[in-house]
């Protein structure tokens, strides 16, 4: 039984900007798909778009990086459509971490913080600073009249690790080095009255050093796990997700506002701290994030998270709230549309209970009871082994790139699982539970879809859920067959054909939002591991005979 608890009253008279994040990492969108969704988002009530184009634009600063991208003319047309609809365009260029799409190229390897990894720029490398300033100028020229520019800066795992950066950070402090670097690369933005923004996670690893960050920067505080109720565990940046039982007085003293007056953990607890320090803050929830299946997300995570973030933004009088949608999770915006519609409803009606917001969002999409649709989403959003991050080959090394995993990656992973006492039987139990939930949800979805057809109701949302449900069913069968084979060394005949069918089905779906080349690339990457593994086992079985 869910309940809503708001420890502070909702402020009236202010509504934050509502921003949607267009992430192009891992996905090269079709122009017509973006056009359709820009119109949709404006119609829902969004006021701005956060554009993260990465290598999907043909950049002059780094032409070697462009990968199945738009021409500048095509992106300019999309930006103009956004402006015509009253949407603010905000560019995002990662200027510290998540630079895999640049630094993996030999031409830019000299800009790396760590020569053995291609995700982080070196902050004491003057060439890196010149390169980024030049690229920022190209962004500004392309985006035209803008008020804000997001400089990224999150998850900088190797920041300050090279000898020079380590020495400077030892002398002045890590956050001070982080701040000095971003202040430098933002120089032209500030001179032209463009407000730079950064993600909040790095600076929140040391709340005592927040004063090192200039108030010229807008802070984008991302939190994809808190919701509408007091959390039972929370993110302590630099430490990870920590349960309430694990937290102690020392932690509380270093993180002001972690607990409410009632002794509960405070949802989105970093927001009051940032506001107290005088930062203009944008709170970011998510409709697609870590933990999702590649085919559909998790309602129990994203629904409450987005609603809770919107309420918090109103409560704290924030300048904005952003719904991020990280493309490395692959599934399209149609599968997320219910959550995307919840955000403007929650901002307009922050006092409504969660169930009422859900019902209103469902009614905008289909003519059914909201609870029925929520139950379907909850069941379909189950994840299965071999089709999750680092089990499929996607982000196998924690990096956000499209590089294929090494040969035998999945075979070696299964070997590790086999060596872990009882793990494979536990995974099989997980699959069986997930398949039960999925079967119940799929049956309900089939009934609603048939009813919608009889009423001449068409919904991309329902069609996408149906496709996601089919792929979830097939991949659950694949996981089931592989795990049973590993337990009993029985047969997996026919599973190779199922994998090939699922792969082709995913490709046919993907080309409705990705261009053909990229859809094929991502689909191959997603199914490569299980294809190789099953073929090896079948080959071994034949040799045994």
């Amino acid at each position: 039984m869910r309940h809503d608890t708001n420890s502070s009253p909702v402020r009236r008279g202010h509504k934050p900007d509502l921003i949607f994040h267009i992430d192009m990492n891992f996905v090269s969108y079709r122009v017509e798909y973006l056009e359709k969704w820009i119109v949709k988002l404006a119609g829902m009530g969004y006021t701005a778009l956060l554009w993260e184009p990465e290598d999907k634009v043909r950049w002059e600063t780094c032409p070697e990086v462009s990968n199945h991208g738009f021409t500048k003319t095509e992106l300019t047309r999309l930006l103009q459509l956004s402006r015509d609809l009253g949407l603010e365009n905000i560019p995002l260029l990662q200027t510290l971490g998540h630079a895999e799409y640049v630094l993996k190229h030999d031409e830019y390897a000299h800009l790396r913080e760590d020569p053995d990894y291609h995700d982080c720029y070196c902050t004491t490398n003057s060439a890196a600073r010149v390169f980024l300033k030049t690229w920022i100028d190209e962004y500004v020229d392309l985006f035209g009249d803008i008020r804000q520019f997001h400089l990224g800066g999150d998850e900088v795992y190797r920041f300050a690790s090279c000898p020079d950066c380590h020495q400077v950070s030892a002398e002045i402090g890590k956050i001070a080095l982080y701040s000095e670097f971003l202040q430098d690369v933002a120089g032209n933005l500030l001179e032209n009255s463009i407000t730079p923004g950064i993600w909040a996670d790095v600076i929140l690893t040391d709340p005592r050093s927040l004063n090192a960050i200039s108030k010229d920067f807008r802070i984008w505080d991302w939190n994809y796990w808190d919701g509408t109720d007091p959390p039972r565990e929370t993110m302590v940046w630099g430490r990870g997700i920590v349960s309430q039982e694990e937290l102690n007085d020392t932690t509380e003293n270093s993180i002001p506002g972690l607990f409410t007056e009632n002794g509960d953990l405070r949802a989105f607890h970093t927001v009051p701290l940032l506001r107290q320090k005088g930062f203009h803050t944008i709170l970011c929830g998510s409709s697609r994030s870590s933990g999702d299946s590649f085919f559909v997300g998790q309602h129990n995570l994203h629904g409450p998270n987005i609603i809770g973030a919107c309420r918090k933004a109103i409560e704290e009088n924030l300048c904005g709230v952003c719904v991020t949608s990280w493309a490395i999770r692959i599934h399209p915006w149609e599968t997320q549309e219910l959550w995307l519609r919840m955000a403007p409803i929650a901002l307009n009606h922050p006092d409504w209970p969660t169930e009422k917001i859900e019902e209103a969002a469902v009614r905008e999409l289909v003519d059914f009871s909201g609870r029925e649709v929520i139950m379907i989403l909850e069941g379909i959003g189950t994840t299965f082994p071999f089709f999750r991050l680092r089990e499929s080959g996607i982000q196998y090394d924690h990096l956000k790139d499209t590089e294929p995993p090494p040969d035998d990656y999945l075979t070696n992973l299964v070997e590790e699982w086999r060596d872990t006492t009882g793990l494979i039987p536990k995974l099989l139990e997980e699959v069986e539970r997930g398949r039960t939930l999925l079967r119940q949800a799929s049956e309900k979805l089939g009934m609603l879809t048939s009813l919608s057809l009889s009423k001449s109701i068409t919904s991309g949302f329902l069609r996408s859920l149906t496709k996601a449900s089919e792929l979830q069913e097939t991949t659950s069968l694949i996981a089931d067959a592989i795990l049973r084979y590993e337990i009993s060394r029985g047969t997996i005949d026919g599973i190779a054909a199922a994998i090939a069918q699922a792969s082709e089905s995913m490709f046919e779906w993907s080309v409705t939002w990705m261009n053909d080349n990229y859809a094929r690339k991502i689909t191959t990457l997603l199914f490569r591991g299980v294809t190789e593994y099953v073929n090896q086992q079948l080959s071994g079985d034949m040799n045994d005979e």
Side-chain angles (χ1 to χ4, degrees):
M1 183 77 177
R2 288 178 302 174
H3 63 284
D4 296 303
T5 55
N6 288 315
S7 58
S8 302
V10 173
R11 299 186 183 185
R12 298 294 182 186
H14 168 77
K15 189 163 71 172
D17 289 335
L18 179 57
I19 306 160
F20 180 69
H21 171 223
I22 299 178
D23 177 32
M24 299 188 192
N25 186 305
F26 257 71
V27 170
S28 185
Y29 292 106
R30 292 183 175 276
V31 172
E32 60 270 22
Y33 184 80
L34 287 173
E35 288 174 334
K36 177 185 75 173
W37 271 94
I38 290 168
V39 173
K40 265 193 172 189
L41 291 162
M44 291 180 200
Y46 284 78
T47 60
L49 299 175
L50 178 65
W51 294 85
E52 188 169 2
E54 298 206 337
D55 57 348
K56 306 309 186 298
V57 174
R58 298 170 195 174
W59 300 106
E60 296 168 19
T61 301
C62 44
E64 302 87 353
V65 164
S66 299
N67 190 355
H68 303 293
F70 301 122
T71 65
K72 285 188 175 181
T73 300
E74 288 171 325
L75 186 56
T76 298
R77 190 169 79 238
L78 291 168
L79 296 172
Q80 187 58 51
L81 173 63
S82 301
R83 282 190 287 269
D84 291 344
L85 292 168
L87 294 166
E88 178 185 358
N89 292 312
I90 306 170
L92 191 163
L93 171 61
Q94 290 281 5
T95 57
L96 259 175
H98 291 311
E100 295 94 333
Y101 66 103
V102 177
L103 298 180
K104 69 180 181 181
H105 296 278
D106 292 341
E107 294 87 344
Y108 304 100
H110 66 289
L111 305 179
R112 295 176 185 174
E113 176 78 6
D114 184 329
D116 295 327
Y117 294 90
H118 56 273
D119 62 331
C120 190
Y121 291 104
C122 178
T123 51
T124 57
N125 184 331
S126 60
R129 298 185 181 215
V130 171
F131 170 75
L132 289 167
K133 290 176 187 178
T134 302
W135 202 358
I136 288 169
D137 288 344
E138 186 177 0
Y139 261 80
V140 172
D141 288 342
L142 177 59
F143 274 77
D145 186 18
I146 56 173
R147 296 188 307 123
Q148 304 180 63
F149 194 117
H150 198 312
L151 295 170
D154 65 315
E155 298 182 326
V156 287
Y157 301 122
R158 291 168 184 85
F159 167 61
S161 62
C162 85
D164 289 343
C165 292
H166 180 73
Q167 180 179 343
V168 174
S169 68
E171 293 171 356
I172 67 173
K174 260 191 166 185
I175 303 303
L177 173 59
Y178 179 90
S179 173
E180 184 276 327
F181 172 79
L182 289 168
Q183 192 82 28
D184 184 28
V185 299
N188 285 350
L189 299 175
L190 293 166
E191 288 180 10
N192 288 281
S193 301
I194 299 171
T195 301
I198 55 172
W199 299 116
D201 56 305
V202 174
I203 64 175
L204 288 171
T205 60
D206 185 4
R208 294 165 298 182
S209 298
L210 283 173
N211 290 335
I213 306 299
S214 168
K215 301 304 186 298
D216 291 333
F217 285 80
R218 187 161 286 187
I219 308 300
W220 297 62
D221 186 15
W222 57 281
N223 180 320
Y224 305 154
W225 40 88
D226 286 351
T228 54
D229 293 338
R232 295 178 180 175
E233 55 185 18
T234 193
M235 172 63 77
V236 177
W237 290 115
R239 183 173 170 184
I241 296 289
V242 183
S243 69
Q244 184 164 357
E245 291 72 23
E246 293 177 277
L247 294 168
N248 52 40
D249 291 340
T250 302
T251 303
E252 162 64 1
N253 290 335
S254 65
I255 307 176
L258 185 59
F259 293 101
T260 68
E261 295 77 4
N262 297 327
D264 294 322
L265 285 175
R266 190 186 305 276
F268 306 101
H269 69 85
T270 53
V271 171
L273 172 61
L274 291 168
R275 296 290 288 122
Q276 290 165 14
K277 292 291 185 178
F279 290 107
H280 292 287
T281 305
I282 296 172
L283 181 57
C284 307
S286 187
S287 63
R288 187 171 53 176
S289 64
S290 181
D292 283 350
S293 160
F294 291 114
F295 313 113
V296 65
Q298 310 161 84
H299 175 76
N300 287 338
L301 177 65
H302 301 301
N305 174 250
I306 287 172
I307 293 171
C310 289
R311 288 176 178 163
K312 192 71 173 181
I314 294 283
E315 174 190 319
E316 293 286 343
N317 200 30
L318 301 185
C319 55
V321 61
C322 179
V323 178
T324 64
S325 180
W326 298 100
I328 197 169
R329 320 303 164 194
I330 300 179
H331 56 89
W333 292 333
E334 282 80 2
T335 60
Q336 308 159 54
E337 187 167 357
L338 183 66
W339 308 318
L340 300 186
R341 289 181 178 275
M342 286 180 184
I345 296 170
L347 282 181
N348 287 325
H349 306 283
D351 290 325
W352 280 11
T354 294
E355 289 79 5
K356 188 172 182 179
I357 293 171
E358 290 175 341
E359 181 71 30
V362 169
R363 292 293 181 185
E364 289 184 1
L365 286 169
V366 290
D367 188 22
F368 302 124
S369 161
R371 193 59 210 153
E372 289 179 317
V373 174
I374 297 305
M375 290 174 65
I376 290 168
L377 271 172
E378 289 172 348
I380 292 178
T382 304
T383 62
F384 295 100
F386 310 109
F387 296 95
R388 300 183 289 213
L389 291 185
R390 291 182 284 282
E391 295 174 12
S392 65
I394 291 179
Q395 213 173 11
Y396 73 95
D397 56 358
H398 297 264
L399 296 178
K400 286 178 66 176
D401 59 26
T402 54
E403 297 303 302
D407 292 340
D408 296 331
Y409 172 75
L410 190 56
T411 301
N412 293 333
L413 181 62
V414 173
E415 287 285 347
E416 290 178 17
W417 290 355
R418 196 183 299 137
D419 293 339
T420 304
T421 305
L423 179 57
I424 289 180
K426 287 179 182 177
L427 287 172
L428 185 57
E429 291 176 6
E430 177 188 330
V431 170
E432 291 171 344
R433 286 193 300 270
R435 282 179 54 75
T436 298
L437 291 171
L438 177 60
R439 189 181 310 111
Q440 294 169 348
S442 298
E443 289 172 357
K444 190 70 174 176
L445 177 61
M447 292 171 57
L448 292 189
T449 303
S450 298
L451 182 59
S452 73
L453 292 174
S454 69
K455 290 184 175 182
S456 299
I457 298 171
T458 58
S459 169
F461 172 67
L462 283 182
R463 288 194 298 272
S464 288
L465 287 189
T466 300
K467 190 67 175 179
S469 175
E470 293 170 357
L471 283 161
Q472 287 280 72
E473 175 67 19
T474 304
T475 51
S476 73
L477 285 169
I478 293 168
D480 185 84
I482 293 175
L483 292 171
R484 289 187 188 280
Y485 175 82
E486 284 298 325
I487 290 174
S488 65
R489 285 294 168 177
T491 179
I492 51 174
D493 287 343
I495 201 67
I499 294 171
Q501 180 183 0
S503 178
E504 193 58 29
S505 180
M506 180 63 182
F507 171 74
E508 291 172 357
W509 189 30
S510 297
V511 294
T512 63
W513 73 91
M514 296 187 218
N515 68 48
D516 292 19
N517 291 335
Y518 225 75
R520 181 62 72 191
K521 179 179 183 178
I522 297 306
T523 301
T524 300
L525 191 63
L526 178 57
F527 287 92
R528 170 180 167 159
V530 289
T531 300
E532 178 190 73
Y533 173 80
V534 168
N535 287 339
Q536 284 182 351
Q537 303 310 314
L538 289 172
S539 175
D541 290 346
M542 290 175 62
N543 291 335
D544 291 342
E545 295 174 3

